[in-house]
Amino acid sequence: MNKLVKWLAIAGMATLMAAAGAAPAAERGTSEEAVALVKKAIAYYKVNGMDKTAAEINGKTGMFESKDLYLFVAPVAPGPVTAHGANAKLVGKELGELRDVDGVYFTRRFREVAAKDGKGWVEYKWPNAKSGALESKSTYIERVDDVYFACGVYKAGKS
């Protein structure tokens, strides 16, 4: 009996430790944090230029990541993605025809917001980069020069 109790205690502790270790990865970024991350990247870009900024975002050094937030950069005019912190395979691809499950051309909306307003939010559905689950997402876009910087917030349970 003592061996069973000891084993259960060890298994319980291991489960708690695993859950504690997984908790930070499951944390969700807020709208405020998304805006702050975009502004941080824009400040970095203004000092270091696009090549170095894109390398930092694409290289996933952690400088432009927080919780489940990541950045991406694309031209305001139709053109290929310059940087993408969650999926390097998207860099160099034109995504203007990309739609979500509801048929929303959200990359077109990104460009429209950047061109017309200079900054703002776009709502759509997208797989969570960490969990893979389809979720509602709200992405903050801010234009600088001829590109926009963007960071989205996943909204759990609202797909």
Side-chain angles (χ1 to χ4, degrees):
M1 186 80 154
N2 280 343
K3 285 183 181 180
L4 178 60
V5 170
K6 191 174 183 179
W7 182 85
L8 288 172
I10 291 170
M13 285 179 60
T15 301
L16 286 173
M17 289 172 62
E27 282 188 67
R28 294 186 177 268
T30 66
S31 298
E32 293 81 11
E33 290 169 324
V35 171
L37 200 57
V38 166
K39 292 191 180 297
K40 178 181 175 182
I42 289 170
Y44 187 88
Y45 160 74
K46 287 180 178 180
V47 171
N48 297 287
M50 184 53 74
D51 289 343
K52 192 166 182 180
T53 303
E56 286 293 336
I57 294 169
N58 294 332
K60 300 180 76 119
T61 63
M63 177 183 278
F64 297 118
E65 294 178 28
S66 176
K67 301 176 184 173
D68 63 346
L69 302 176
Y70 59 88
L71 290 170
F72 55 98
V73 181
V76 175
V81 172
T82 307
H84 201 289
N87 188 347
K89 293 178 183 175
L90 296 178
V91 176
K93 295 199 172 22
E94 161 57 57
L95 304 177
E97 297 304 309
L98 195 60
R99 294 185 281 176
D100 75 358
V101 296
D102 295 327
V104 174
Y105 286 96
F106 57 93
T107 55
R108 288 181 187 176
R109 287 284 303 130
F110 295 160
R111 289 194 312 263
E112 289 169 8
V113 168
K116 181 180 176 194
D117 303 321
K119 61 184 173 182
W121 292 89
V122 173
E123 306 284 330
Y124 58 104
K125 293 180 182 162
W126 191 248
N128 184 307
K130 300 278 186 193
S131 70
L134 182 65
E135 297 181 21
S136 292
K137 189 171 184 180
S138 184
T139 293
Y140 177 73
I141 294 100
E142 189 166 331
R143 180 183 182 159
V144 180
D145 301 328
D146 59 349
V147 298
Y148 63 85
F149 287 75
C151 183
V153 178
Y154 293 103
K155 301 175 180 181
K158 298 179 183 177
S159 60

